[in-house]
Amino acid sequence: MKNNLLIVIPAYNEEKTIGSVIKGIRNVAQTSDIIVINDGSSDRTESAAKDAGAFVVNLPFNLGYGAALQTGFKYAIRHGYKYAIQMDGDGQHSPSSLMSLIKEVEKNNTDVVIGSRFLGGNSYNAPALRKIGMKIFSIITNFITGQKFTDPTSGYRAMNDSILRFYSNDIYPVDYPDADVIIMLHQAGFRIMEIPVDMNPSLTGKSMHSGLKPIYYLFKMMLSIFVTLLREPISFTTSPHRGEGKGEG
Amino acid sequence: MPLRQQIFAILISIIIFIVIIELVRKRKLREEFSLIWLLTGFLLFILAIWYDLLLAITSLIGASLATSTLFFFGLVFLILINLYYSIKLSAIANQMKNLAQEVGILKAEKEEKKNIKEKWGRGEEEERIKN
């Protein structure tokens, strides 16, 4: 029987953690398909992922986190998957929450579900500066969407195929897709939900936010949110809740 | 405008014209981009032979010297050209991203097919040996 669910893991130089992440997923979801998008890594990420039994797509050069993720979404659409989960390859996202994430989407309670590191009494210790940034974006996102998001920057999400089609479009940001994507989804009329997920405190790998990047991140996210609001409510929505306009995105 | 200045300006605009036409002829510059440069040369030419126009523009925008008008519009022109290139670059970066994604997926699919085929091929071989 063909699998409905594809687990997408973008990886950039994650040879140390990617293998254990895949094995961890296999422990809770034995038969699920796992695709690792190797985003031009210079280390042995590819063979580590292959050895652990994942399907690996190698990008010819480094495209960035969002573009790598989008590659996985495009693959999912091409191969007719109904659901997808995105998670990081650094081992921060615990596979134990996989099932609870996908359950919500499978039950059709929502189009996309975001795994929050703060909901349900979870304590996630981020550096102070990053905590402030997260708080700011959570306030902005809540204000615009009128919905409460505790962790809009989380990269641990599950979604159905109408979201996958939406994400395969050129509007999907190539770098740091998080709070702005939530607002985009909200504008397009999709249903978004947040549930608590577990974190692996022992396996906190390197962050993609280092050096001058936080400043760029802050600027990019502000601008991205701002122009998203300026745009017409996106017309190419493929959400089933707006009639049967399932056009090619 | 002194005659010497005028001759110099006309010479420059003619050289720009020739260089651009030559680049297009050698297919080193796409017609799409050449248009903007040809227009630049043309504008320079007009201003060189029609000095009164430059003076009129100078008084219109309230500049005190004709040269500052030239410098000002030259700068504005360069900024606009850069903006145009930024737009082009964004489009090209996006196309390149899509291509890279496509290449990655296609390569992986091809390899997968080859692996399956090899497995099957080996299976057939084994079966033949068994029989």
Side-chain angles (χ1 to χ4, degrees):
Chain A
M1 203 185 79
K2 197 184 177 324
N3 263 316
N4 276 334
L5 171 67
L6 181 69
I7 296 163
V8 180
I9 309 170
Y12 177 60
N13 291 342
E14 315 266 25
E15 62 174 4
K16 289 198 189 81
T17 51
I18 192 80
S20 58
V21 169
I22 294 164
K23 279 177 198 131
I25 297 170
R26 283 268 178 264
N27 283 339
V28 291
Q30 283 84 2
T31 57
S32 61
D33 291 346
I34 303 170
I35 184 171
V36 170
I37 315 294
N38 177 22
D39 192 8
S41 300
S42 53
D43 64 358
R44 297 183 63 256
T45 299
E46 181 193 357
S47 48
K50 272 187 178 158
D51 289 347
F55 181 70
V56 179
V57 167
N58 289 302
L59 294 175
F61 36 79
N62 185 259
L63 287 182
Y65 180 77
L69 255 182
Q70 197 190 38
T71 311
F73 300 148
K74 285 181 175 176
Y75 181 87
I77 288 293
R78 272 168 83 112
H79 292 265
Y81 287 96
K82 278 180 86 172
Y83 309 105
I85 289 182
Q86 63 173 86
M87 64 190 289
D88 289 350
D90 61 2
Q92 198 198 129
H93 300 146
S94 163
S96 59
S97 303
L98 266 176
M99 284 304 141
S100 46
L101 274 172
I102 198 62
K103 235 175 240 158
E104 296 298 333
V105 188
E106 272 178 345
K107 276 192 281 182
N108 198 22
N109 286 342
T110 180
D111 294 312
V112 59
V113 54
I114 298 161
S116 168
R117 292 163 280 194
F118 304 111
L119 265 183
N122 274 337
S123 59
Y124 167 62
N125 278 321
L129 202 69
R130 198 176 332 162
K131 253 187 181 158
I132 295 167
M134 284 168 158
K135 190 83 203 152
I136 293 171
F137 286 116
S138 142
I139 289 168
I140 295 173
T141 317
N142 296 351
F143 177 74
I144 293 168
T145 60
Q147 199 179 334
K148 196 173 181 315
F149 291 105
T150 57
D151 192 5
T153 57
S154 164
Y156 198 5
R157 303 175 179 192
M159 66 216 77
N160 63 22
D161 54 345
S162 50
I163 298 281
L164 284 172
R165 233 165 276 130
F166 183 78
Y167 279 174
S168 298
N169 211 287
D170 273 348
I171 54 140
Y172 193 76
V174 294
D175 45 4
Y176 312 130
D178 39 57
D180 51 345
V181 173
I182 293 179
I183 291 165
M184 243 178 244
L185 290 172
H186 172 80
Q187 303 275 84
F190 287 107
R191 297 167 300 168
I192 317 160
M193 198 174 155
E194 208 181 36
I195 66 164
V197 290
D198 298 330
M199 279 293 148
N200 273 334
S202 54
L203 267 171
T204 37
K206 57 174 174 36
S207 168
M208 41 177 184
H209 302 286
S210 55
L212 274 177
K213 281 177 183 167
I215 295 163
Y216 169 71
Y217 172 79
L218 203 73
F219 169 75
K220 182 260 159 177
M221 199 50 67
M222 290 287 188
L223 183 72
S224 181
I225 289 171
F226 179 64
V227 294
T228 302
L229 291 175
L230 284 182
R231 287 190 189 118
E232 295 276 304
I234 301 163
S235 53
F236 42 72
T237 173
T238 50
S239 171
H241 312 290
R242 284 213 179 156
E244 287 304 306
K246 287 210 168 192
E248 285 290 306
Chain B
M1 177 158 53
L3 185 69
R4 202 182 278 194
Q5 229 178 56
Q6 200 160 12
I7 292 171
F8 180 71
I10 290 171
L11 261 176
I12 290 284
S13 56
I14 287 172
I15 289 171
I16 290 178
F17 245 96
I18 292 171
V19 168
I20 290 160
I21 298 286
E22 183 59 15
L23 283 174
V24 177
R25 193 183 69 83
K26 282 186 184 163
R27 291 177 217 286
K28 283 197 172 158
L29 185 67
R30 282 176 44 166
E31 287 87 343
E32 176 196 356
F33 290 105
S34 69
L35 190 74
I36 203 162
W37 293 114
L38 284 176
L39 273 174
T40 313
F42 182 69
L43 213 78
L44 266 179
F45 187 73
I46 293 285
L47 285 176
I49 59 168
W50 189 7
Y51 188 61
D52 286 344
L53 179 70
L54 184 61
L55 290 181
I57 294 171
T58 305
S59 74
L60 187 78
I61 65 167
S64 46
L65 280 173
T67 41
S68 18
T69 313
L70 278 181
F71 276 117
F72 174 71
F73 280 108
L75 220 79
V76 168
F77 172 76
L78 286 179
I79 290 170
L80 286 181
I81 283 240
N82 276 323
L83 188 63
Y84 175 71
Y85 285 157
S86 283
I87 294 168
K88 275 275 157 197
L89 264 181
S90 299
I92 285 169
N94 202 30
Q95 288 167 344
M96 190 197 68
K97 178 210 77 182
N98 286 339
L99 277 178
Q101 290 177 329
E102 198 81 352
V103 167
I105 291 175
L106 286 175
K107 252 187 166 172
E109 283 174 354
K110 195 180 144 202
E111 203 174 302
E112 179 82 347
K113 258 185 205 147
K114 207 177 101 192
N115 286 345
I116 290 170
K117 215 175 163 187
E118 263 170 19
K119 242 186 233 163
W120 268 95
R122 222 178 291 141
E124 275 169 16
E125 198 84 345
E126 276 165 18
E127 230 156 76
R128 221 184 299 148
I129 291 165
K130 259 189 226 159
N131 293 336

